[in-house]
Amino acid sequence: MTTTPKTSTATTGACGVASAPATKKPAMSDEARAAMQAKFLALFATAEGEIQDAYLWALDNSFEYNEAFTGMLLSLDSKHIIALTQFTKQFWDITPEGAEVLENGSPEWLLFNAVPSDGISKEMLEKNKHYRAGFPEAMKLKWIKMDGPNVKSCVTSPVDLTKKSLAEIKQGRAPDKTEEVVLKAKKKFIKQVSISSYKIKKGESFSTTVETLESDLTIEALKSGSWKTQAIKPHNLHALGVIPPSGYIHPLNKVRKEIRQIFLEMGFQEMPTNNYVESSFWNFDSLFQPQQHPARDLHDTFFLSDPAAANENDCAADYLERVKQMHEKGGSGSIGWRYDWKLSEARKIILRTHTTAVSSRMLYQLSQRMKAANEALVAKGNPPTKFQAIKCFSMDRVFRNETLDATHLAEFHQIEGFIADYDIGLPHLIGTLSTFFRKLGMSNLRFKPAFNPYTEPSMEIFCYHPQLKREIEIGNSGVFRPELLVPMGIPSDVNVIAWGLSLERPTMIKYAIPTIRNLFGPLASLEYIRKAPICIITPAAEPAPQPPQTTTTTPQTATTTPTPHQNSS
C-alpha cells in the first residue's frame, strides 16, 4: 500500500516505525504514557467509524508517531480494547542535504548569487564551495555564461527550481520521474521512506478507561481469594521460554563425532589416549626415529623441565635393549642408524608430538599379550596361535613447536590409525584412506611420496581447500618398518599400515574456515562456535569404473636409494 502523508518531521525509526530524527529522547514516564493513552481513547471514543491510517491520524491530532505511540496501540490491542490491522506505507521525504537546500537554496542558486553584476574570474569562482555542484547546473539553466576567462550572469532574478520542487515534495507531492532521477539518485536530496501504520477499530472490550491487569498470580491473592474477581493478564502457554545460557559443541567435536562413527562402521576399535606427556622413548625411539633427528630438537618439540626424565618403569628393560640394538646395529636385514644410542636422551619427557606414540604402545601390548597367550598354550602342550588381525584408531591432542600460520598451530588434534595383518601393504593403505575420506565426503585426494623414519614406503595426503584455493596436507601415512615391529615382538610376516591425519583441516574444509586460528585457539570466536551448524557428513560418490586400456610400455632401468633397512652400506 502506498500513500502520501501530510507534512511531518518524522523519519523512519526502529522496526520501520516513524520516530523523531533529532536527539534521542529519554524514555517516556509512566505518567506521560498514561496521559497519552487517556487522550487517545477520549478522541477515539468520539470519532466516527474507524481510523484508516494511524500515522495520519496521529499527525492530525498532535500525537508524535513514534515507538511509544505504537507501543501504546499494541498494548491496547492485546487487551482487546482496540483491534489493529497493520500495513506498510511509503512516502517521499527530504534528506538532511535536501533540508539544507530548503533553508539556504540550491548549490546553483547560491553560486549564481556569488557572481557580481560585472562578472568574476572563473579562477576566483572555483574557490566557492558550491562551485563543483552548482556551476554545471547554473550553466545548464543559462543563469551564467563564460566571457573569456570570466563568468557573467545572464538573468537577474532566477527561480530556484530545486528548492521549489523540494518544498512541494515535503508538502506531500510525489516527484515525477525526472525529479526522482535527479533529486534522489543524482543529488540525494529526497528519499523514499517506509513505515508501519495501522487501521484501528474499536475492540470487543472498548472503554475509555483501561483496567490494570495483574501479570502474576500471587500467594496473597490465592489466600484471600481475590484472584477469583481480579483481572489477570492473559498468558500464552504455548510461547517458547528464554533459552538458558549453556555451553555449545565446538565444530571440532562435531566433526570428531562423525569421524569416530566412520571408523567404528569400518570395524576399527578406539585406543586409549589419556597421556599428553610422553617419554622420548615411546614418542621417538620405539618408532625407530634416530636421536639426532631434527624433529627431536627444541625448535620442534616441547620438553618438560619438571620432571625432566622418565623413570625405569617407563618400559621393559628387554624391550629397551632390543630398540637400542636396532638403532645402533640394526637387524632383520637392516643396518640400523649406526650411532651410539643414549638412554638419557630416550628418558627425556616431552609433550607428545603425535599420537603414533599411542599406536606404538598399543602394538607392544598386543605382542606381549600374544606372547603370554602362546606361552600358556605351549605349556599345556597346544600349538601357538597366529597373530590376530586388528584395526585401531585414536583422536586426541598433540603439541609441536610450530610457526603459526593459516594451517599450523602449536597445539592441534591428530587422527591416528593402523591395521595389522598378514599380506597387506601400500594398495590396502590407499584403499583404506580413500574409503575413509569418501565416507567423510572428500574425494579429491592426492597421494604424494614422502619420507618418514618409521614407515617405508610413506605417503603424504593432500586435499583441495576451496577457500585457500590450493591443496593442503591433511595427513601422513605409510607401512611400518620392520625395525619398529621386530623389537616389539610382532611376527616378521605381519605388516602394519598406519596413518596420522589432521582433525582441524577437514573441519576447516567442511565449515569453509580459511585460517586454523579462527577455528581453534584464543582467536576463535565464541559467537561463531555458538552459531556453527551441526555437522552432517554426506559420503562422496563412488568413483566411476575406468574402462580397460591397452598400453605399451618400454622397459626402463629403475633407480633406488638405499634406506637403512636395506642390506647395503
Side-chain angles (χ1 to χ4, degrees):
M1 178 176 182
T2 303
T3 60
T4 303
K6 296 184 179 181
T7 304
S8 170
T9 58
T11 57
T12 303
C15 304
V17 178
S19 60
T23 56
K24 186 176 181 180
K25 294 185 177 181
M28 181 177 286
S29 64
D30 292 340
E31 294 78 8
R33 188 178 293 105
M36 178 179 65
Q37 180 175 276
K39 178 182 176 182
F40 167 78
L41 290 174
L43 290 172
F44 189 32
T46 60
E48 295 182 2
E50 303 173 350
I51 297 175
Q52 299 298 321
D53 189 332
Y55 176 78
L56 295 178
W57 187 92
L59 299 180
D60 287 339
N61 291 277
S62 303
F63 285 94
E64 188 173 354
Y65 193 82
N66 55 19
E67 292 185 0
F69 182 81
T70 56
M72 175 203 68
L73 296 180
L74 294 172
S75 175
L76 294 174
D77 178 67
S78 68
K79 299 171 183 176
H80 305 290
I81 295 174
I82 62 174
L84 299 179
T85 303
Q86 186 179 13
F87 62 90
T88 301
K89 61 184 298 172
Q90 294 180 332
F91 61 92
W92 290 94
D93 200 359
I94 60 172
T95 64
E97 294 83 357
E100 186 177 347
V101 171
L102 275 178
E103 182 178 355
N104 303 315
S106 65
E108 59 268 23
W109 191 81
L110 293 171
L111 187 74
F112 170 80
N113 289 327
V115 178
S117 58
D118 57 347
I120 186 174
S121 69
K122 185 180 179 183
E123 183 179 356
M124 289 294 296
L125 191 61
E126 286 176 352
K127 296 179 181 179
N128 189 294
K129 66 178 182 179
H130 303 293
Y131 175 83
R132 185 175 180 182
F135 184 80
E137 287 297 319
M139 289 289 289
K140 181 179 178 182
L141 295 170
K142 297 182 180 181
W143 291 354
I144 59 176
K145 67 178 180 178
M146 293 297 302
D147 185 11
N150 298 324
V151 179
K152 291 187 176 182
S153 57
C154 301
V155 295
T156 55
S157 300
V159 178
D160 191 346
L161 298 177
T162 301
K163 181 178 179 179
K164 180 183 177 183
S165 296
L166 290 177
E168 293 173 353
I169 291 171
K170 185 173 177 62
Q171 291 296 324
R173 177 178 69 83
D176 58 32
K177 293 296 182 182
T178 302
E179 289 175 326
E180 188 174 335
V181 171
V182 174
L183 298 180
K184 177 177 181 285
K186 191 175 180 181
K187 296 185 177 182
K188 313 295 184 186
F189 289 161
I190 61 174
K191 62 182 178 180
Q192 198 167 27
V193 180
S194 297
I195 65 169
S196 293
S197 188
Y198 301 91
K199 181 179 179 181
I200 309 175
K201 64 180 181 179
K202 294 179 176 64
E204 58 187 32
S205 302
F206 180 80
S207 172
T208 56
T209 58
V210 180
E211 184 180 10
T212 302
L213 300 179
E214 296 292 338
S215 58
D216 294 316
L217 192 61
T218 63
I219 295 178
E220 291 75 15
L222 292 173
K223 288 181 177 179
S224 64
S226 62
W227 64 273
K228 298 177 181 180
T229 57
Q230 72 182 18
I232 300 176
K233 183 179 180 179
H235 286 70
N236 182 5
L237 301 180
H238 299 286
L240 297 176
V242 177
I243 299 177
S246 62
Y248 298 91
I249 301 176
H250 195 281
L252 279 173
N253 285 334
K254 296 177 182 180
V255 176
R256 178 175 178 164
K257 178 182 177 182
E258 295 298 318
I259 290 177
R260 182 176 184 272
Q261 186 60 36
I262 290 173
F263 274 121
L264 295 176
E265 291 174 359
M266 293 176 66
F268 285 76
Q269 65 182 56
E270 191 165 8
M271 296 182 285
T273 58
N274 54 358
N275 50 326
Y276 291 165
V277 176
E278 189 61 271
S279 70
S280 292
F281 176 81
W282 289 106
N283 197 86
F284 297 121
D285 295 270
S286 67
L287 298 173
F288 195 57
Q289 191 159 332
Q291 294 182 341
Q292 303 88 350
H293 195 279
R296 303 179 71 153
D297 293 340
L298 282 172
H299 66 271
D300 280 334
T301 302
F302 293 108
F303 288 85
L304 270 67
S305 58
D306 185 22
N311 57 36
E312 62 276 3
N313 297 324
D314 184 49
C315 65
D318 58 336
Y319 177 45
L320 189 76
E321 182 63 28
R322 291 196 298 270
V323 170
K324 175 184 177 181
Q325 291 299 319
M326 187 62 74
H327 277 249
E328 291 184 342
K329 301 178 182 179
S332 300
S334 170
I335 63 172
W337 293 113
R338 299 295 180 93
Y339 70 98
D340 292 331
W341 186 86
K342 296 180 180 179
L343 179 61
S344 60
E345 189 70 27
R347 294 289 194 203
K348 288 182 178 179
I349 298 293
I350 64 169
L351 293 178
R352 66 181 179 203
T353 62
H354 50 194
T355 49
T356 314
V358 177
S359 298
S360 179
R361 286 182 179 272
M362 187 70 177
L363 286 169
Y364 176 71
Q365 293 171 8
L366 287 173
S367 69
Q368 296 306 297
R369 288 201 294 266
M370 184 186 71
K371 178 182 177 181
N374 283 338
E375 287 176 351
L377 289 173
V378 172
K380 295 180 181 179
N382 299 318
T385 61
K386 296 183 65 176
F387 181 86
Q388 298 295 315
I390 190 171
K391 298 192 289 187
C392 297
F393 80 98
S394 67
M395 286 185 286
D396 211 341
R397 197 169 300 183
V398 296
F399 311 86
R400 293 182 190 173
N401 197 359
E402 296 267 17
T403 300
L404 306 186
D405 58 27
T407 57
H408 292 84
L409 286 178
E411 179 181 356
F412 57 98
H413 296 78
Q414 184 172 328
I415 306 166
E416 178 80 17
F418 72 81
I419 300 175
D421 201 354
Y422 295 94
D423 301 322
I424 59 174
L426 194 63
H428 303 85
L429 176 61
I430 294 175
T432 301
L433 292 175
S434 298
T435 300
F436 168 77
F437 280 107
R438 188 163 58 249
K439 287 178 175 290
L440 197 58
M442 301 161 62
S443 58
N444 52 341
L445 303 179
R446 188 168 66 90
F447 298 91
K448 175 185 174 183
F451 171 77
N452 293 318
Y454 45 88
T455 58
E456 179 63 34
S458 306
M459 297 185 306
E460 292 175 340
I461 311 157
F462 289 82
C463 185
Y464 183 78
H465 193 302
Q467 277 65 47
L468 296 177
K469 294 183 174 20
R470 63 179 174 87
E471 287 185 334
I472 62 173
E473 182 187 350
I474 56 175
N476 211 326
S477 64
V479 181
F480 276 156
R481 295 169 62 148
E483 294 96 328
L484 183 158
L485 300 175
V486 170
M488 292 179 177
I490 300 293
S492 58
D493 52 351
V494 171
N495 292 333
V496 179
I497 57 175
W499 53 88
L501 312 175
S502 167
L503 177 61
E504 280 79 1
R505 294 181 188 177
T507 305
M508 289 168 63
I509 294 173
K510 285 293 178 186
Y511 281 87
I513 299 174
T515 171
I516 194 172
R517 286 169 287 190
N518 292 342
L519 171 67
F520 183 66
L523 297 181
S525 168
L526 295 179
E527 181 66 14
Y528 174 78
I529 293 173
R530 184 178 72 85
K531 294 182 177 180
I534 62 175
C535 177
I536 300 177
I537 302 297
T538 303
E542 293 281 347
Q546 298 296 322
Q549 299 179 352
T550 303
T551 59
T552 302
T553 58
T554 302
Q556 296 179 351
T557 302
T559 59
T560 59
T561 301
T563 55
H565 73 275
Q566 295 175 321
N567 193 11
S568 58
S569 56

